[in-house]
């Protein structure tokens, strides 16, 4: 049965930072494509006039991608502002009035996580939740227990297929690409297992620090900010079994299965780091032990991945900004070219940002008499940037009721189960100098597997997220 298209967008947290940086540009892009033929109601405590609201949107667009006058005109004609506190029943009563004949509103909760429950309840009690969908921004919980509790609360008011847990990383073209490449190519599957793969590593490096958001980061740290969500989701896409069907739940079932097969992290396989100078940032406690860097080793206890180590490394103030997956293949047991010492290192490399690249590492013979070669890369795909921003893609999908690129409740919990044992101060936060690859100990956990992939990306400072 075809799912109804949303007929109103209600945007909680419209005066916030995320709205300003990401959502207004995404809404303009949707308006340009004719995908925003509905009222857009912004809700916040502030009491803005319609003009103030429009000015804020224009200002956001000027700073983030530019104003497209025609699309902006369409967008502004749809904007309405509702001032009200989320704790106040009257806010939802007035919202119901504003929604008028709307039968399938999409409620986007771009608000502090502490208010998710309040708003979900307010929507349900007032009738604004009837026939509606709800998008919940990250973070989804702070640990396993809080994620379970949030799932329970949301399920009291909304069915699972009406809940869209946002992990904007899954809306990235490069991440979908990786998934496509894996299952669309016959030559990949035969080697995609412990017989041929020696190790898999993912690095998400940020050249910048906390960018004035020290108070926010103090509550989060690298494990919660990017590992539990974005990077474990990427790892699940890399390692899941082929889905049994082409429907959304077949894929989500396989993601769940592989996350459940990942061993919970142990402090012995984790290195936490903190860049020197972090404690001087505004909003950061002088004795903070929050990690701005994490390097970890994971294991998947199933037939396909028995014995293969998986490494994840994420950090701030590193030498470059970029995200890459490197899949190293095993060397042949009896190398034919024994004189060629580094023969026969093969790999797959997937760059997710700042540009998009898929490459296969191979060796070719150097001209001359001896059978000695050099490393080369066959670049299967390379393009500079994404067609659509993740927020544009995901908002459009949610309006269509398409949950494929959103995280299911049980999958979020499975990912928390993996990181839960090492949250907090499970391993010391070792200091590291800015512009280095984190504490020296991070190299030790991968030393036996060829070391970390040093991303060869130049001079980019953009946020890879
Ligand atoms: P902000 O603190 O900048 O904005 C919060 C918004 O919520 C404001 O519009 C505020 O309204 C409104 N609000 C808060 N409490 C109430 C209340 N009781 N009643 C009515 N309105 C209220 O947050 P962000 O925009 O930074 O983040 C929003 C969500 O998005 C969070 O879940 C965050 O984790 C997530 N996120 C943010 C990212 C970012 O880059 N900022 C990146 C990824 C996710 P008012 O200003 O009028 O008080």
């Amino acid at each position: 049965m075809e799912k109804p298209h949303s007929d109103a967008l209600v945007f909680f947290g419209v005066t916030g930072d995320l709205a300003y940086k990401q959502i207004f540009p995404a809404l303009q892009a949707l308006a340009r494509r004719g995908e925003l033929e509905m009222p857009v109601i912004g809700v916040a405590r502030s009491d803005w006039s319609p003009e103030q609201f429009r000015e804020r949107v224009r200002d956001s667009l000027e700073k983030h991608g530019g104003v497209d006058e025609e699309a902006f005109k369409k967008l502004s004609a749809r904007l309405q502002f509702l001032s009200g506190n989320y704790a106040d029943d009257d806010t939802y009563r007035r919202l119901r009035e504003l929604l008028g004949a709307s039968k399938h509103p999409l409620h986007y909760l771009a608000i502090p996580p502490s208010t998710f429950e309040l708003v979900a309840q307010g929507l349900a009690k007032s009738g604004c939740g009837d026939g509606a969908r709800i998008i919940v921004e990250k973070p989804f919980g702070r640990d396993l227990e809080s994620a379970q509790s949030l799932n329970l609360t949301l399920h009291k008011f909304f069915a699972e297929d009406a809940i869209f847990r946002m992990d904007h990383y899954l809306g990235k073209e490069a991440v979908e690409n990786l998934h496509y490449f894996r299952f669309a190519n016959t030559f990949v599957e035969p080697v995609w297992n412990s017989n041929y793969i020696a190790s898999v590593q993912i690095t998400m490096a940020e050249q910048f620090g906390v960018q004035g958001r020290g108070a926010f980061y103090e509550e989060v740290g690298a494990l919660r900010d990017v590992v539990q969500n974005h990077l474990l989701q990427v790892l699940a896409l890399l390692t899941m079994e082929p889905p049994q069907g082409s429907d959304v739940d077949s894929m989500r079932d396989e993601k769940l299965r592989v996350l459940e097969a990942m061993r919970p992290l142990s402090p012995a396989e984790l290195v936490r780091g903190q860049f020197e100078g972090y404690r001087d940032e505004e909003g950061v406690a002088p004795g903070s032990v929050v990690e701005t860097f994490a390097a970890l080793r994971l294991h998947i206890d199933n037939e396909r991945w028995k014995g293969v180590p998986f490494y994840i490394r994420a950090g701030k103030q590193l030498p470059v900004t970029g995200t890459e997956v490197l899949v190293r293949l095993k060397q042949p047991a009896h190398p034919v070219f024994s004189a060629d010492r580094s023969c026969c290192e093969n790999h797959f490399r997937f760059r997710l940002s700042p540009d998009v690249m898929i490459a296969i590492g191979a060796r070719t013979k150097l001209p001359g008499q001896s059978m000695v070669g050099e490393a080369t890369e066959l670049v299967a795909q390379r393009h500079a940037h994404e067609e659509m921003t993740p927020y544009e893609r995901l908002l459009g999908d949610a309006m269509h009721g398409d949950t494929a690129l959103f995280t299911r409740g049980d999958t979020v919990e499975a990912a928390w189960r993996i990181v839960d044992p090492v949250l907090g101060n499970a391993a010391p936060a070792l200091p590291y100098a800015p512009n280095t690859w984190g504490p020296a100990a991070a190299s030790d956990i991968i030393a036996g597997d060829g070391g970390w992939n040093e991303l060869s990306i130049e001079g980019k400072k953009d946020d890879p997220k």
Side-chain angles (χ1 to χ4, degrees):
M1 203 177 68
E2 195 165 330
K3 295 182 176 168
H5 197 278
S6 300
D7 52 12
L9 173 64
V10 183
F11 184 0
F12 292 87
V14 76
T15 54
D17 181 62
L18 184 68
Y20 186 73
K21 289 202 301 223
Q22 302 280 0
I23 313 299
F24 296 139
L27 292 181
Q28 175 178 262
L30 286 164
R32 186 189 299 129
R33 288 198 284 124
E35 294 246 352
L36 200 67
E37 307 295 311
M38 64 186 83
V40 178
I41 305 170
V43 191
R45 273 179 302 213
S46 311
D47 192 7
W48 283 1
S49 67
E51 291 70 39
Q52 267 177 301
F53 187 20
R54 269 194 293 278
E55 270 319 298
R56 170 79 169 180
V57 176
R58 179 179 270 283
D59 188 47
S60 143
L61 298 174
E62 278 166 1
K63 306 235 165 44
H64 302 98
V67 182
D68 170 337
E69 290 299 342
E70 205 172 313
F72 176 66
K73 205 167 142 203
K74 279 195 212 166
L75 172 60
S76 12
R78 311 219 165 271
L79 296 176
Q80 297 175 51
F81 192 82
L82 174 65
S83 166
N85 197 303
Y86 301 150
D88 188 350
D89 287 348
D90 192 51
T91 305
Y92 305 94
R93 189 191 53 72
R94 288 183 292 130
L95 175 61
R96 191 49 265 179
E97 273 175 28
L98 273 183
L99 283 171
S102 160
K103 286 197 176 69
H104 301 292
L106 173 63
H107 301 289
Y108 185 3
L109 275 50
I111 53 179
S114 56
T115 57
F116 288 161
E117 191 167 342
L118 196 64
V119 175
Q121 189 174 11
L123 290 172
K125 267 178 37 190
S126 60
C128 295
D130 298 350
R133 301 185 177 114
I134 185 168
I135 303 178
V136 188
E137 255 302 334
K138 81 165 211 185
F140 197 90
R142 283 188 52 74
D143 52 22
L144 178 59
E145 196 184 339
S146 55
Q148 284 169 330
S149 153
L150 184 53
N151 269 332
L152 271 177
T153 306
L154 291 177
H155 285 146
K156 269 195 249 163
F157 308 117
F158 294 91
E160 177 60 36
D161 67 357
I163 304 170
F164 293 72
R165 293 171 194 79
M166 182 70 102
D167 182 341
H168 68 271
Y169 222 70
L170 299 182
K172 279 180 165 291
E173 176 68 23
V175 174
E176 280 206 281
N177 234 355
L178 180 156
H179 180 53
Y180 183 88
F181 183 85
R182 205 193 134 190
F183 291 120
N185 293 300
T186 326
F187 67 86
V188 177
E189 181 61 17
V191 299
W192 213 252
N193 52 56
S194 59
N195 293 332
Y196 291 95
I197 290 182
S199 69
V200 177
Q201 57 170 289
I202 308 174
T203 293
M204 181 194 264
E206 296 175 336
Q207 211 174 4
F208 46 87
V210 291
Q211 297 180 307
R213 299 182 76 216
F216 156 80
Y217 205 77
E218 278 286 276
E219 297 295 315
V220 191
L223 284 168
R224 286 189 172 95
D225 192 30
V226 298
V227 175
Q228 181 275 340
N229 38 42
H230 310 326
L231 299 181
L232 283 183
Q233 288 295 324
V234 170
L235 188 56
L237 284 173
L238 280 164
T239 54
M240 66 193 234
E241 294 300 313
Q244 297 300 301
S246 53
D247 58 305
V248 170
D249 270 315
S250 296
M251 183 174 106
R252 291 167 134 202
D253 288 347
E254 293 307 338
K255 270 169 95 175
L256 174 66
R257 219 162 274 153
V258 78
L259 285 167
E260 283 180 340
M262 285 181 203
R263 230 179 273 167
L265 278 162
S266 112
E269 296 191 291
L270 167 73
V271 174
R272 293 195 323 131
Q274 187 185 79
F275 68 79
E276 286 159 3
Y278 172 71
R279 292 176 184 181
D280 304 328
E281 296 274 348
E282 201 186 323
V284 172
S288 172
V289 291
V290 167
E291 78 281 355
T292 60
F293 175 98
L296 47 105
R297 182 168 49 217
L298 284 152
H299 308 271
I300 301 180
D301 291 322
N302 67 15
E303 191 57 32
R304 184 187 287 266
W305 297 117
K306 203 164 175 277
V308 179
F310 296 87
Y311 298 94
I312 289 180
R313 175 177 62 160
K316 291 187 175 292
Q317 293 279 16
L318 302 190
V320 296
T321 290
T323 304
E324 259 188 29
V325 174
L326 183 71
V327 179
R328 284 198 172 113
L329 271 69
K330 288 184 175 170
Q331 306 231 4
H334 300 288
V336 177
F337 309 111
S338 49
D340 194 3
R341 295 193 48 184
S342 49
C343 186
C344 303
E345 286 169 4
N346 293 158
H347 62 254
F348 291 91
R349 192 150 65 91
F350 302 92
R351 185 179 292 165
L352 308 183
S353 73
D355 52 349
V356 178
M357 171 154 82
I358 297 179
I360 297 172
R363 290 190 66 86
T364 49
K365 185 183 163 299
L366 282 168
Q369 286 176 320
S370 46
M371 293 300 269
V372 173
E374 64 179 344
T376 182
E377 270 197 338
L378 313 171
V379 177
Q381 182 179 40
R382 182 163 209 169
H383 55 90
H385 46 74
E386 321 227 353
E387 286 240 308
M388 269 190 228
T389 66
Y391 281 95
E392 177 188 349
R393 171 70 198 270
L394 294 172
L395 275 171
D397 282 7
M399 286 171 189
H400 285 284
D402 183 353
T403 51
L405 299 181
F406 294 86
T407 320
R408 205 167 64 186
D410 48 8
T411 316
V412 176
E413 289 181 20
W416 275 121
R417 191 190 50 83
I418 297 162
V419 299
D420 221 42
V422 296
L423 292 174
N425 205 9
L430 305 169
Y432 63 95
N435 205 27
T436 66
W437 285 103
S443 307
D444 300 342
I445 66 165
I446 197 172
D449 283 303
W452 291 106
N453 164 30
E454 297 219 348
L455 285 60
S456 51
I457 297 164
E458 278 163 25
K460 297 261 187 180
K461 273 215 167 210
D462 309 349
D463 188 341
K465 289 186 273 170

